[in-house]
Amino acid sequence: MTKSVYTFGGGVVHDDARAKDKNITGGKGANLAEMAEIGLPVPPGFTITTEECVCYLKDGADFSDALRAEVAEALAHIEAAVGKKFGDAGDPLLVSVRSGARVSMPGMMDTVLNLGLNDETVKGLAATSGDPRFAWDSYRRFIQMYSDVVLGLDHGSFEEALEIAKEDRGYFADTEMLAEDWQELVGEYKSIAESELGRPFPQDVNEQLWGAIQAVFDSWDADRAKVYRRLNNIPGDWGTAVNVQAMVFGNMGETSATGVAFTRDPATGDRHYYGEWLVNAQGEDVVAGIRTPQYLTKRGREAAGAELPSMEEAMPAAYEELARVFDLLENHYKDMQDIEFTVQQGKLWMLQTRSGKRTAKAALKMAVDMVGEGLIDEVTAIKRVDPMALDQLLHPTLDPSAERHVLTTALPASPGAGSGKIALDSDLAEKWANDGAKVILVRVETSPEDIHGMHAAKGILTARGGMTSHAAVVARGMGRPCVSGASAVSIDMASRTLRIGSAELKEGDIITLDGATGQVMQGEVPMIEPELAGDFGVLMEWADKYRRMRVRTNAETPNDCRMARQFGAEGIGLCRTEHMFFDADRIMAVREMILADDEAGRRAALAKLLPEQRSDFTEIFHCMAGLPCTIRLLDPPLHEFLPQRDEEFAELAEDLGIGADHLKRRASELHEFNPMLGHRGCRLGITFPEIYEMQARAIFEAACDVTAEGGDPVVPEVMIPLVATRKELEILRALVDRVAAEVFAEKGRTLDYTVGTMIELPRAALMAGEIAHEAKFFSFGTNDLTQTALGVSRDDAGKFLAQYVDAGIYPRDPFVSLDVDGVGQLVSLAAERGRATREDIKLGICGEHGGDPASIAFCEQVGLDYVSASPYRVPIARLAAAQAALNA
Amino acid sequence: MTKSVYTFGGGVVHDDARAKDKNITGGKGANLAEMAEIGLPVPPGFTITTEECVCYLKDGADFSDALRAEVAEALAHIEAAVGKKFGDAGDPLLVSVRSGARVSMPGMMDTVLNLGLNDETVKGLAATSGDPRFAWDSYRRFIQMYSDVVLGLDHGSFEEALEIAKEDRGYFADTEMLAEDWQELVGEYKSIAESELGRPFPQDVNEQLWGAIQAVFDSWDADRAKVYRRLNNIPGDWGTAVNVQAMVFGNMGETSATGVAFTRDPATGDRHYYGEWLVNAQGEDVVAGIRTPQYLTKRGREAAGAELPSMEEAMPAAYEELARVFDLLENHYKDMQDIEFTVQQGKLWMLQTRSGKRTAKAALKMAVDMVGEGLIDEVTAIKRVDPMALDQLLHPTLDPSAERHVLTTALPASPGAGSGKIALDSDLAEKWANDGAKVILVRVETSPEDIHGMHAAKGILTARGGMTSHAAVVARGMGRPCVSGASAVSIDMASRTLRIGSAELKEGDIITLDGATGQVMQGEVPMIEPELAGDFGVLMEWADKYRRMRVRTNAETPNDCRMARQFGAEGIGLCRTEHMFFDADRIMAVREMILADDEAGRRAALAKLLPEQRSDFTEIFHCMAGLPCTIRLLDPPLHEFLPQRDEEFAELAEDLGIGADHLKRRASELHEFNPMLGHRGCRLGITFPEIYEMQARAIFEAACDVTAEGGDPVVPEVMIPLVATRKELEILRALVDRVAAEVFAEKGRTLDYTVGTMIELPRAALMAGEIAHEAKFFSFGTNDLTQTALGVSRDDAGKFLAQYVDAGIYPRDPFVSLDVDGVGQLVSLAAERGRATREDIKLGICGEHGGDPASIAFCEQVGLDYVSASPYRVPIARLAAAQAALNA
């Protein structure tokens, strides 16, 4: 029979691997068992598995007799180990009850201490400890804690009662309370609990225990826990374990203490012990801030200029023992540990150890240092650093010590932080930026028309749109911080004012965005610039050694290309040619082309665009010399390029010598109900072949010119977007081949190039075997593939996506992390069918998912040849690709 | 080696089935071979296969030596059979060259006669026939025809030259031309040809022959042929065969003749020979209308009151032989035949036979009659009638003899015809209709707001939208004729005028729509009412006997339900509850619900809607007593229900006692970029569960009430739309089950119901195995599945769809006929996975494809349990389902 309860401590050694499997006994339980087995002083206890939690939450039923029997047996194990009996009025066993999921997870029930106290056992505790004050203090702590976290009563009443009790007696500090005072307060606490609860505070110690177990299980589904899981991508079906452990007391006088510590500095990664402790206290006192904790080490105390003695100074023996444990644990776990301990009357007890949370900088430093120390190898170092954490290192961040006046929190759409004057339109943003001001562009949503404003801005805030809305995607590509989907923002363009939550602001007011948290703050918050320490380069080098997939970048400006190469990009995976169409000096020609009445008109306008586009490509090919460049031909529906405002129509009409009304009618004819599914992508190439002809010509002319200058040749990979049928690609490949031949003939040289397609529609994935006959490469456009497979517009998903993730309908935002179960099927099926037709077909991904570590892991599984990410995500992708290869 | 040329006639009997396989030798070639083999008088000849055409068009290259050798051999066969030599100056063999695809296809090159004549052979022909006039007439005919159809010269020049020749000589008719006159004209024709061509008219008979062969192949890809194929869903990769046949001459004097005939009347289906003939003429004279053809039978002549003698009267012996051939052919082919024949100096020759085209009415009558005659069995009769042709029988149609002033031709979006006053908005359309006027609603496009106007109108014309645009779908559902995507229509709402092509019209002007052809006509064109003859019922009864799939209907009004039952619907496959939301007396409550600030506000508005919706369901359940009814909960994005115009906002604001600006802001918050992929379907149910609760309650209350009255109980099948994940359905199924339990408890009764889902997103299809755990049935929503799988918005597809079909990218409009290769994979995969999880899961289709015969055939293959179609398509679906079952 599978066990549901595992004991630890008191000399127990399990041969059942489940006992130390975090998935079964949770992080805390597994580590307690492990520490006990390697001989560290761990108070005996037991762990109820996460599986029981999942069962409980699913069936909502009572606990089984089998479980009750296992718990009783495990309790007997503790009793035997410590020589006390649970509920024994003479010499009672007290226990702590704690939650413990696979990963540490704020938001769940944390701890109940001193469980097992009641009106009888408190007397036994007083007698055996010889300290009635300690016993009654423990009892009142227990009532207060249990009432709060298990019974859900308002803790304010208890705090108030304690305040009154002290006032009545003229005390200032809790320490002045005598045993009788605490005893009296216990009486009051019990009445408070009874009146709120409608029944007496439970005296039955088993009822206390099961209540606490149930509370731990229930807390898995508390709202705060759900939100935390959503933000941290923790599946809702893991559940939590429950740890029940014999109490040890840090509050048994001046030879007792409690503390938390890290084996290295979690903020910097420096190799010093780091921690806090309190004499004569229980664990919650350290965290609760009632007393100011003291530094653990002399070094720490001196560095902070603190008065109160460090543990190193005050309890040298216990400290020495602790330091020995630190080294032992770090050697054992091969990682920096986050530790909780208690000293009871001079004896050290370990209550918890886990791999410590750390800043990105610390993670990087520790990983590299530990390789140097011979503690871990490169592979472990690579696996140890969360790729997403690198993001913090690549963008300026807010000074964590600065005060923040947060107006609202929305989606952390693009990392980094920025401050500036609010500009409500892109022209103004650009103007102010040109005048030297720092600007934050605030829009209901952005469109391709806003590119110049976004570029000019230090940050972008939108009222609508999700993590992959236009604003988010473009901002990430540009490396601009962005907060999107801020529904608390409402803009009144008429008065050029806006509300953010309850604050009234006007254009020109200064705000600060934190793209890493989604916070929008009033005024300017001080920043710290990124430090690309040497450790960064070292880790990247190791990553490159172990990864199989290539990493390219999504870029279309020379600036982005240069930055991406600096970050290690090995080519361009997606160059979106339409971004070049929005430049102020081109948009007129673009509009002329779109609004032309016939092909001749379009060709005339395209002739104006050709030299512009060719010079774009020339610059890009210079930047990317020697590397492959995937260039996607025009993709968005033409109406995206059209004027929006009357003045613009008037200007264009004058320019073209046509009536503005005529233009407006033409423009309205281009309106689409669902532009995402409209006349775009290769459909433009089929219906207006002259557009793709011009683009192909610009590509090949530029490539020939750059090669003629003697530079390393680029390999243009011409990519046809939105293909759903073999025939589309057949027609357009023939067009590209024809133009290439023409240009090569004119230029008197040839060069290597390929033609391929995006796989971004479900039908394309299904028909990949057919399409591969025409395609030298597939690039998975997983943004659009997600939109179509799930039937979700990323621009409109904000209305329900958060609720969907909370309800567990999507494990994560499917635009951020690939929906492996659904969309993933299409990707792997297309890869398989594509390869069946063309063994050496090159496969890559160029959706936003190309910069998401979980999605990159999937790409490795499917065996893609490369991933492509926005420039700032290139290092993340390199590390994630290495991890994926190592985990494969 | 596979043969590319098959001979026929002259005693040839092939044991190669390809010789008589229409896919290989085309309809014409296969039937010539077959007629020859059953002993009918067929001039000897040969057929070049369709495969050669496909090769030729693909490779664009010259003809292979192998082909040339086979043709030479086949030509020798003709020469041997008729005892003349091709190009022999003494006694030349002349041939005809004709195209012949699998199915008869106007738009391709038809015929070149008299090929093999040149300046030398014409003399031989004159000598052997003893008729120089005949020889020179044949030669000039040949030059003219060859110049026109093979060389692509302007035939006007030739006609002009003939006119001048007659004028010069003072002749009125061609028959007055003497041999010398023709000879002289031949000289002129040759100079015309040479000057236009830049080289002499080809004298080499082999050059003539290969030129004609090439012209036939090329004509397969002529624009007219492509358009015909698109309109008739003929694949572009079939190709055409070429038939080369020894000439026989109907123009060798008064004992010669030529004619076309049908074995039964193709218009009515009556069992009489029917046809036309001309004495002393060649085939093209009958068709060209230079001379008025005479009736074939005495009966026909008398019925028409014609003067000129029938063939029955004028050539009794040849006629008798012909009649014998008619009976023989009808008995052989078991179908009405369309025949071409020539009488050369008293001897009958058969030049073509094929199954004759017929009207829907005739098809029906002939199918039923032939079963009565014992000629065919029921199964053949069922297979013989094109289900789509039934459409003609179910709607009023324009009198075919009436004159039409066609303004434009656009998409035939919903069959039937209608005349009426142009109304440019739905309110006016309804008002005028209430006043007793016949109205045609003309809109740029329609939206759900136009339902009342569409209902009031006799027909709908839209400037935008495809075959499955809102207008088209709703019109078909209502049985209203509709012409959509009429880009020649431009509306000026300010002046309430419109242009259709070059015509200026104003509101109130009368137009006529022909929904079967897409024609828009000025004024009122007379109609004929549908005749549901007894044959219709008989055929339907047979169909029901042989089909496996059930046929349901898409309906939501009692009227539609009644009509659908009358047409044989066996339940409702799709009841779109949102259509009920647009009623004038409900829309206010709907809007109140949508614009409510919180759940309480929504619930208050929903409480007003509950009794309305319940009474809808009560009516429907009465109509559908004893049958299953699939009811889809609210599907469209909420903003579809919002006011559009300022007055409406003002009205609503007053009604709700809220500021209109506040309302407008709320409304603008609901705006979506891609509503198709937005906050709709089950996403509404998840985020606003109270809406689905109200709808479920209305369904179960109505079902209980109807059952309580003692009627046959319906089985409500509650359908959750737009599901992409198992979890969505799990949550919403629990909601429906809870409401059902509540209602059953209140009503003190229970009834059978099921909960299922639409499969209309690619992800749902892929995850069908998971989803089936929660679903008792799947209904394939192939409209949306097509939109998402192909990434094509049906409302926006009009901009490129026609071009896509012309280019062969889509074989047909994928919204009309299911894309079996792509979308079909999703359907069959979902069916398979769904059944793997739940063996008895009920599977149906409720997209527009449920009424399309080709798609129904696919549904049969996949083994769906039922198809659901709009009421007027129910008979079509019944017949198509029977055909599908018989062909399975």
Side-chain angles (χ1 to χ4, degrees), chain B residues 667-687:
Chain B
S668 81
E669 283 167 15
L670 290 170
H671 169 264
E672 294 187 310
F673 295 100
N674 295 289
M676 163 63 210
L677 307 175
H679 192 183
R680 51 168 290 228
C682 69
R683 296 161 195 168
L684 294 172
I686 297 283
T687 51

Side-chain angles (χ1 to χ4, degrees), chain A residues 677 683 728 763 793 804 819, chain B residues 677 728 763 791 793 804 819:
Chain A
L677 308 176
R683 296 161 195 168
E728 287 166 316
R763 191 185 197 277
S793 157
Y804 259 52
D819 161 36
Chain B
L677 307 175
E728 288 167 314
R763 191 185 199 276
S793 157
Y804 258 53
D819 160 35

Side-chain angles (χ1 to χ4, degrees), chain B residues 586-647:
Chain B
R586 305 180 188 181
I587 189 70
M588 285 303 243
V590 173
R591 289 171 178 169
E592 186 184 329
M593 187 258 300
I594 294 168
L595 297 169
D597 287 322
D598 54 19
E599 188 185 324
R602 278 192 297 277
R603 285 198 182 275
L606 286 164
K608 296 183 201 171
L609 286 169
L610 173 62
E612 303 280 353
Q613 189 125 68
R614 184 177 51 225
S615 83
D616 291 329
F617 290 133
T618 306
E619 271 199 89
I620 290 173
F621 292 165
H622 272 300
C623 282
M624 286 287 155
L627 297 176
C629 292
T630 304
I631 296 163
R632 181 177 71 185
L633 301 186
L634 193 69
D635 183 47
L638 296 180
H639 55 75
E640 283 202 4
F641 300 95
L642 289 181
Q644 306 291 335
R645 298 190 311 257
D646 282 351
E647 312 88 80

Side-chain angles (χ1 to χ4, degrees), chain A residues 91 123-124 131 138 214 232 417 444 587 623 800 861:
Chain A
D91 185 9
K123 293 174 197 157
D131 187 348
S138 297
Q214 191 169 347
N232 290 275
V444 173
I587 189 71
C623 283
F800 57 86
Q861 274 171 37

Side-chain angles (χ1 to χ4, degrees), chain A residues 399-432:
Chain A
D399 183 343
S401 63
E403 207 176 326
R404 302 178 177 206
H405 177 53
V406 176
L407 297 171
T408 187
T409 301
L411 296 174
S414 176
S419 294
K421 288 158 69 170
I422 294 169
L424 295 176
D425 71 62
S426 287
D427 291 344
L428 186 65
E430 191 176 45
K431 188 178 168 302
W432 280 355

